[in-house]
Amino acid sequence: MHRPAPRPTRPEGARRLLSGVFAFGVGLASALGEAGLEPAAPAAGGTKELGTATPQVAPARLRRTESFLGIHFDFHAGPNATEVGRHTTPEMIETIIRHARPDYIQIDGKGHKGLSSYPTLVGNRAPGFVGDPLRTWREVTARHGVALYLHYSGVWDNEALRLHPDWAVTGADGSRDPNAVSPFSPYDRKLLVPQLRELAGSYGLDGAWVDGECWVAQPDYGEAAAKAFGAATGATTLPRTPGQPHWEEFLEFNRQAFRDHVAYYLRELKASHPEFQLTSNWAYSDYMAEPVRLPLDFLSGDLSPEDSVNSARLSARYLAQQGKPWDLMAWSFVRVPDKDGRALKSAVQLQREAALVVALGGGFQTYFRQRRDGSIFTEQMPLAGEVARFARARQAFSHGGRPVPQIALLLSTPGHYRRTQALFQRSLSPLSGLLEALTESRCAVDVVSEHHLQGRLADWPLVVVPDWEVVEPRFRDELQAHVRDGGRLLLVGRGPLALYRAELGERPEGERKASLHVLGKGLVAVLPFDAGTEYQERHEETLRAQLASLVTRLFPEPLAELEGSPALELIPMRSRDGLLTVHLVNVSGPHRSQTLIDTIEPVGPCVLRLRLERRPAALRLLPGEQALDFEYADGIARVRVPAIAVHAAVQVVGK
């Protein structure tokens, strides 16, 4: 029977059995020496010096590869954080664990302002502490077998740049960036790595969620960067604007500098504390849509606090393809309060955000704020518990699942980078608009890059290429050969049409009429304008219907089809035990325009049609194991699904 999965005690997790024994690892003197720093003076009000805790045996803690559910807290300590730890008590932390029962907790350690919210001996402290709150967090979480990670801002560090202006990225106009640290500075060696080692060794933390990373990185025009770029390319001047000589090379040079920054701290921490688990926020996601080449322990990001449904739709689909354990974080609040001053989301709103993540096989965490003294709003923990119970009820049949290939929507690595004209920013409307239109047409869509498709094109019955100016040249040729051999392709926009001009001919500028072309044994449909951006901006029903019609023409027999409301998202997956599991998520209501949602009206009943080679032994509705009556004829199982409140799944049980 499928029920919320118990916390596993695999050999990998059992390695943490003695994780409550706090060891210094790399000594503080060594860390201080490497950092080139003197020990910080005790904060105002007095701070207990760090010491070795009494050894104790604690319950096994899950590693992030095994974890499903987390809860995140941060407050980006600033100059007004003068009594950090004043109200951080074991009882407060146990309140979190009692309500949410998380696999891990992430708490604030160093936010973007660069002031550490624990009494670091190697970094820059917040102004004042009462005791050592991080020690309290560690001792209580270890006692309960809950992993503890620190929220740590990496590239973005205002205080480090205030103290060391020469560490900043230099802009094209010669100005110093107030936020972004240069990867050519000694910041990683003198501050970031020594502080992460302090967390791993002195505090025995399980890992760090390094924030403010790829999405903060900027092209660096500083002396060290210019010298390195000249040595690599022979360029004597740095390009300032798109179109100038070496512009694309300069952007890629700076991207590689960011990758080298992450590679450095991964290498250093794995050498000294191999059990310490690290991720770089949004690395190898739709911000940084490229093959995973760095040994991050897991991938992670935080959803848009407001347009969370569309944020989850896109990011979860991309991370699900990257071959690493992953999770996404939903904000429990919005940044702009409503007219009544309320900013906290409802349980049902957060449950839907969770559903869109866990349905695609990921882990889920919810972000709650901390007060300026580092304590939490304990009155919000019943909300955390309600969301956690919803997610746990779906863990057994969702976590670690893999998407069943149906429609591949291309997030081109070079196409995206060309469009942004930046390092790791998003400019995805040609793709995200198509994703909205297709999912709202009840199509099952994967978001993939060239490296996912190369050598595997035949796995997807239909490939959709949005309005990218460029794609990987080898992929372009492989895709053409795939179509000639019988594949199906939808090109949307003048960019991809230009890539296949020799095969499909010219189209008049401004033409909007769709066309269908036979190419070898395959079929190509062309929509010669940027329908994705248009749909994202206006959400016109006629445009959605036109796209749906083209998809039906190219791919008339999908694995799963819904009859009924268009407000159900269709996500066919293979569960960890190999069972076909079709997830249905209720995406009804004004989630684009209304930031706080208090109610979600149930959708359905509806009819689900599944194309199956043989009659299944049973179809069951999850969670709850409800057996569903169904008809089977001509290779199609037809089942009536009850109304969906937020999320449910139909699982196919074979003979």
Side-chain angles (χ1 to χ4, degrees), residues 209-222:
W209 194 83
V210 185
D211 194 8
E213 285 274 90
C214 67
W215 50 277
V216 179
Q218 300 293 330
D220 193 352
Y221 289 83

Side-chain angles (χ1 to χ4, degrees), residues 408-449:
L409 180 60
L410 179 67
L411 199 175
S412 169
T413 300
H416 181 220
Y417 287 157
R418 173 75 62 85
R419 180 177 171 84
T420 63
Q421 295 296 312
L423 302 189
F424 303 106
Q425 297 299 311
R426 284 188 179 120
S427 183
L428 293 169
S429 60
L431 175 137
S432 53
L434 289 181
L435 178 60
E436 290 178 37
L438 294 175
T439 54
E440 288 165 14
S441 299
R442 295 168 294 188
C443 297
V445 185
D446 294 325
V447 177
V448 290
S449 290

Side-chain angles (χ1 to χ4, degrees), residues 68 284 343 492:
F68 172 70
Y284 301 117
V492 182

Side-chain angles (χ1 to χ4, degrees), residues 141-168:
T141 53
R143 188 162 65 244
H144 288 274
V146 175
L148 183 64
Y149 294 79
L150 208 74
H151 169 258
Y152 185 97
S153 190
V155 170
W156 188 341
D157 190 319
N158 297 133
E159 183 67 8
L161 298 185
R162 186 185 70 81
L163 296 172
H164 305 279
D166 56 317
W167 289 6

Side-chain angles (χ1 to χ4, degrees), residues 136-147:
T136 303
W137 281 97
R138 173 69 291 178
E139 290 172 352
V140 176
T141 53
R143 188 162 65 244
H144 288 274
V146 175

Side-chain angles (χ1 to χ4, degrees), residues 135 316 327 438:
R135 188 73 65 195
D327 60 68
L438 294 175

Side-chain angles (χ1 to χ4, degrees), residues 406-409 434-435 437-445 461-465 488-492 514-516 523-527 543-561:
Q406 292 287 279
I407 298 173
L409 180 60
L434 289 181
L435 178 60
L438 294 175
T439 54
E440 288 165 14
S441 299
R442 295 168 294 188
C443 297
V445 185
L462 174 62
V463 177
V464 180
V465 180
R488 303 297 175 98
L489 175 63
L490 172 58
L491 303 176
V492 182
S515 60
L516 210 58
L523 201 58
V524 181
V526 174
L527 199 57
L543 181 54
R544 187 204 61 76
Q546 184 181 24
L547 284 162
S549 177
L550 289 172
V551 168
T552 300
R553 178 69 179 83
L554 293 167
F555 184 27
E557 296 185 351
L559 170 66
E561 292 179 285

